Amino acid sequence: MQLRYAFRLYPDTGQQRALARAFGCARVVFNDAVRAREEARAAKQPFPKAAELSKRLITEAKRTTRRSWLGEVSAVVLQQSLRDVETAYRNFFASLKGDRKGPKMGAPHFKSRKDKRQSIRFTANARWAITDKGRLNLPKIGAVKVKWSRTLPTTPSSGAVVKDAAGRYFASFVIDTDPAADATRMPETDQSVGIDLGLTHFAVLSTGEKIDSPRFLRRAEKKLKKAQRELSRKQKGSKNREKARLKVARAHAKVTDARREFHHQLSTKLISENQGIVVEDLSVAGLARTRLAKSVHDAGWSSFISMLECKAERYGRTLVTIGRFEPTSQTCSTCGVKDGPKPLDVREWTCTACGSVHDRDHNAALNVKTAAGLAVSACGAPVRPGAIPAQCEETRSHGFPTQARAA
């Protein structure tokens, strides 16, 4: 299994200029490749191959006056930009044919120099290395200072440098994990749990434990409004507007990082304590069109479930997802009688058949766990699903940390 480890970079002024140059050259090559493909399509000609694009847009372009500055950056960065174009078109055509799961993807579009997120990628043959002093030595950029929050378990197969909207730099490495080592870090257990996700409480477990929703966006809303108001008053194109934009971006990044850290800590705790985890397949896109849209996005259920999927595959746990139309809030967890739908303001109810008094969320969590168990006994097969692709991000790393994470 492959995971992505991300670490904060602190380049100096000269290195920032070199990175900006690399970002720009990679963007130009990407746009030239997209333009060549679109011109071929308009002329009803076959798409040019990757080798032809590499020769025309990189090798020959460096010899011209118009693109001579492409030689100032590493050639690997430019080659990887062409590979990104290939991947984007491959995903687009697979989406058109229905071979790719998920929402439909559009054709690749041109990148803008005004995009707030920039990235470049390096492969193993790019001659990048980690120095004895713990710095990341990048070709034609220099030795960049890195904040190592954890130790890399193995040698990375590839790496990337990312600059986000808040002006922060990250080094992102792809690591091949060792299944045997992961198994020893997460010993098997006989516990299982059902989870009912909500807004008042982020999660209610079948054990009765209630985890409050941190509401990171709601808590930072006043500060965000003030920063956004200051940004709207600045003149477009001015330096003061750029400073105000960075202030807004950093405020949003702080909320995003806090939410992601909360999801990581909770998902790791659940994975380490339980062998089987059952969740409900929520229609987040549908709930995001209601009056609760801001609270739904603030909770980040999809991101949390993706982390559970990734860690369940890595550590040999079982993650089961039950259908969203399962009447978990209408069924009595004691006698199994369906008591009918109830409005959201009813948080506690009494079963008309057996007289049991239920907490709405705890009863739903028990029914979520029971639904997965009934599915196992009815089919006579294990509930372990097939291989789940890891949902790995660039600005954070998944997995169970071996040491305390730096604040």
Side-chain angles (χ1 to χ4, degrees):
M1 181 178 178
Q2 289 186 332
L3 295 180
R4 190 175 290 278
Y5 280 56
F7 303 92
R8 183 76 180 272
L9 292 180
Y10 294 92
D12 57 30
T13 305
Q15 293 168 349
Q16 289 181 17
R17 285 196 292 265
L19 285 172
R21 190 181 304 115
F23 293 147
C25 291
R27 182 182 64 250
V28 168
V29 171
F30 184 95
N31 291 343
D32 288 346
V34 173
R35 186 179 297 107
R37 289 286 182 90
E38 292 301 316
E39 289 176 354
R41 183 185 64 83
K44 297 183 179 181
Q45 297 177 354
F47 277 0
K49 302 295 184 181
E52 180 185 349
L53 289 177
S54 177
K55 180 180 179 181
R56 189 204 315 173
L57 303 180
I58 298 178
T59 306
E60 295 179 356
K62 288 180 181 180
R63 301 170 186 166
T64 64
T65 306
R66 187 164 173 259
R67 291 282 192 267
S68 60
W69 35 264
L70 290 177
E72 299 177 3
V73 301
S74 172
V76 176
V77 171
L78 307 181
Q79 293 290 346
Q80 291 303 309
S81 188
L82 287 181
R83 291 195 178 189
D84 291 340
V85 176
E86 289 286 326
T87 303
Y89 273 103
R90 193 181 303 116
N91 292 337
F92 169 58
F93 291 129
S95 181
L96 286 180
K97 296 177 182 177
D99 298 336
R100 191 178 190 275
K101 296 181 180 179
K104 294 292 184 181
M105 292 192 63
H109 59 273
F110 295 115
K111 292 184 178 181
S112 172
R113 63 182 180 84
K114 296 183 180 180
D115 291 342
K116 303 309 177 185
R117 184 186 180 280
Q118 306 283 342
S119 65
I120 53 176
R121 291 194 297 124
F122 297 92
T123 54
N125 60 350
R127 298 179 182 177
W128 59 271
I130 300 174
T131 64
D132 296 336
K133 295 184 179 180
R135 296 201 170 211
L136 181 62
N137 194 6
L138 299 173
K140 296 190 178 182
I141 294 175
V144 185
K145 181 181 177 182
V146 186
K147 180 66 175 180
W148 299 104
S149 56
R150 63 178 68 183
T151 305
L152 289 173
T154 58
T155 303
S157 59
S158 65
V161 177
V162 181
K163 181 184 178 183
D164 65 3
R168 303 178 299 178
Y169 294 86
F170 293 92
S172 179
F173 302 102
V174 176
I175 302 293
D176 292 318
T177 60
D178 184 7
D182 292 338
T184 58
R185 289 161 61 188
M186 287 284 188
E188 291 190 2
T189 176
D190 56 353
Q191 301 294 324
S192 60
V193 67
I195 306 175
D196 178 66
L197 299 175
L199 296 178
T200 304
H201 296 93
F202 177 80
V204 177
L205 310 184
S206 57
T207 58
E209 181 182 358
K210 294 185 176 182
I211 301 168
D212 291 334
S213 181
R215 300 181 180 180
F216 296 106
L217 180 62
R218 295 289 187 181
R219 284 158 48 187
E221 206 166 20
K222 184 176 180 180
K223 182 178 180 180
L224 286 169
K225 285 182 178 179
K226 181 180 178 181
Q228 189 66 49
R229 187 164 55 245
E230 292 176 355
L231 172 63
S232 65
R233 292 171 177 169
K234 299 297 186 291
Q235 183 179 358
K236 291 185 178 180
S238 65
K239 292 185 178 180
N240 284 336
R241 184 177 178 86
E242 179 61 20
K243 293 178 183 178
R245 187 202 65 77
L246 277 176
K247 189 175 181 180
V248 173
R250 286 167 183 162
H252 279 289
K254 186 175 180 180
V255 172
T256 304
D257 292 344
R259 183 188 298 115
R260 186 183 297 113
E261 186 70 15
F262 168 73
H263 288 167
H264 270 300
Q265 291 183 2
L266 179 58
S267 59
T268 301
K269 176 177 179 293
L270 293 173
I271 288 292
S272 61
E273 294 177 353
N274 302 278
Q275 187 68 29
I277 300 175
V278 189
V279 294
E280 192 175 4
D281 179 26
L282 297 174
S283 177
V284 178
L287 291 171
R289 291 193 292 267
T290 66
R291 60 185 179 87
L292 301 174
K294 184 180 291 188
S295 298
V296 170
H297 287 304
D298 192 10
W301 295 326
S302 297
S303 174
F304 174 69
I305 294 177
S306 296
M307 290 182 187
L308 285 176
E309 291 177 352
C310 179
K311 295 177 184 180
E313 182 194 7
R314 182 181 182 186
Y315 298 111
R317 300 314 201 213
T318 300
L319 179 67
V320 182
T321 304
I322 67 170
R324 65 186 63 170
F325 299 108
E326 191 75 24
T328 55
S329 298
Q330 305 176 21
T331 306
C332 174
S333 59
T334 303
C335 63
V337 173
K338 185 177 178 180
D339 205 20
K342 301 167 185 62
L344 288 177
D345 59 344
V346 176
R347 310 313 302 172
E348 203 174 83
W349 57 280
T350 304
C351 178
T352 56
C354 65
S356 300
V357 179
H358 297 293
D359 177 89
R360 181 192 183 103
D361 297 329
H362 183 216
N363 178 74
L366 289 171
N367 287 329
V368 166
K369 181 180 178 181
T370 304
L374 291 175
V376 174
S377 61
C379 300
V383 296
R384 178 186 292 275
I388 304 172
Q391 304 293 325
C392 297
E393 303 169 2
E394 285 193 342
T395 56
R396 276 286 182 176
S397 57
H398 285 68
F400 192 67
T402 57
Q403 58 187 13
R405 178 178 292 169

